[in-house]
Amino acid sequence: MIRISDEELEAFSGLCYKKAFKRKALLSQEAKFITEVYFIEKGIIRVKLDDLGGTEHTIHFAIENQFIADYRAFLTQQKSAYQLQALEDTETIVIPKSAIDWGYSNLEQGEKLGRLIAEYYFVYLDSRIQYLYTLSPKERYDLMNEIFPNIHNRVPQHMIASYLGITPVHLSRLKSQSLIP
């Protein structure tokens, strides 16, 4: 995403560390302050939220070579509304806020990297909201498979249904009608 010298990369990498999470482990919890961003080397993480009635909703998935955090809470230093959960044994690189702040100040293109990641995430979330209202469940499912290849073999069906904004029964009905392979 940016040009970075070997010296800059080494200095920045020294501020980060690797961390593994077992399947079902929570990386972050609601009502907590968020001080880290995760880069996924292996595995899949979901972002989930409980509504006022206690129903769990899958808001987002993140897979290999993607960054994930509750960005709003991270940027505003307010308590998180989301939980991040490993859906497989997951290996990450943890990027503490102190490393990101250091990168903004010390990497020649650090601020550019932050801007590009923020722009990517904004476009993804804006598109996701638009698609929830303008695409059919079948179209949303097809798009999900493009964004997250092979996800149906990695994630329980009820989480996929939640992500798509439909019930598990509706997802099963679509599958049984051969609308979804």
Side-chain angles (χ1 to χ4, degrees):
M1 296 180 85
I2 62 169
R3 287 185 324 272
I4 187 167
S5 71
D6 291 341
E7 295 81 20
E8 287 178 320
L9 183 58
E10 184 177 333
F12 181 75
S13 296
L15 302 172
C16 305
Y17 59 94
K18 292 187 177 216
K19 187 169 183 181
F21 296 92
K22 293 287 187 193
R23 183 177 172 268
K24 295 188 178 182
L26 293 177
L27 287 71
S28 68
Q29 298 181 30
E30 62 184 319
K32 302 285 184 191
F33 291 102
I34 306 302
T35 59
E36 301 168 330
V37 172
Y38 300 94
F39 179 80
I40 303 169
E41 292 188 303
K42 178 180 180 269
I44 186 167
I45 296 171
R46 79 169 169 148
V47 179
K48 64 180 185 165
L49 171 73
D50 293 337
D51 66 21
L52 296 175
T55 302
E56 187 176 276
H57 300 275
T58 298
I59 306 302
H60 177 51
F61 295 112
I63 59 174
E64 292 83 2
N65 298 313
Q66 293 183 335
F67 293 95
I68 188 68
D70 179 341
Y71 288 109
R72 183 200 50 82
F74 179 82
L75 294 171
T76 63
Q77 291 300 287
Q78 296 177 352
K79 291 182 179 178
S80 178
Y82 302 103
Q83 294 181 340
L84 275 63
Q85 181 184 39
L87 298 181
E88 301 172 341
D89 289 346
T90 300
E91 297 172 11
T92 67
I93 297 173
V94 180
I95 309 167
K97 184 171 185 342
S98 59
I100 292 171
D101 291 341
W102 182 92
Y104 288 153
S105 299
N106 296 287
L107 297 178
E108 185 176 328
Q109 294 189 341
E111 289 191 4
K112 179 181 179 182
L113 178 61
R115 178 182 53 81
L116 290 173
I117 292 170
E119 288 173 355
Y120 169 83
Y121 199 67
F122 172 80
V123 169
Y124 167 78
L125 287 178
D126 187 64
S127 297
R128 175 143 164 68
I129 291 166
Q130 179 187 356
Y131 298 154
L132 279 171
Y133 291 101
T134 62
L135 298 180
S136 70
K138 167 76 166 94
E139 291 169 321
R140 292 194 305 266
Y141 183 89
D142 291 342
L143 183 60
M144 178 193 67
N145 280 323
E146 287 178 33
I147 296 169
F148 307 110
N150 200 32
I151 195 166
H152 58 283
N153 291 324
R154 300 175 73 181
V155 174
Q157 296 302 298
H158 72 278
M159 291 179 193
I160 290 175
S162 176
Y163 176 80
L164 295 172
I166 61 177
T167 66
V169 172
H170 189 181
L171 181 59
S172 294
R173 188 178 320 118
L174 288 172
K175 287 177 144 185
S176 70
Q177 295 170 351
S178 300
L179 292 176
I180 297 175

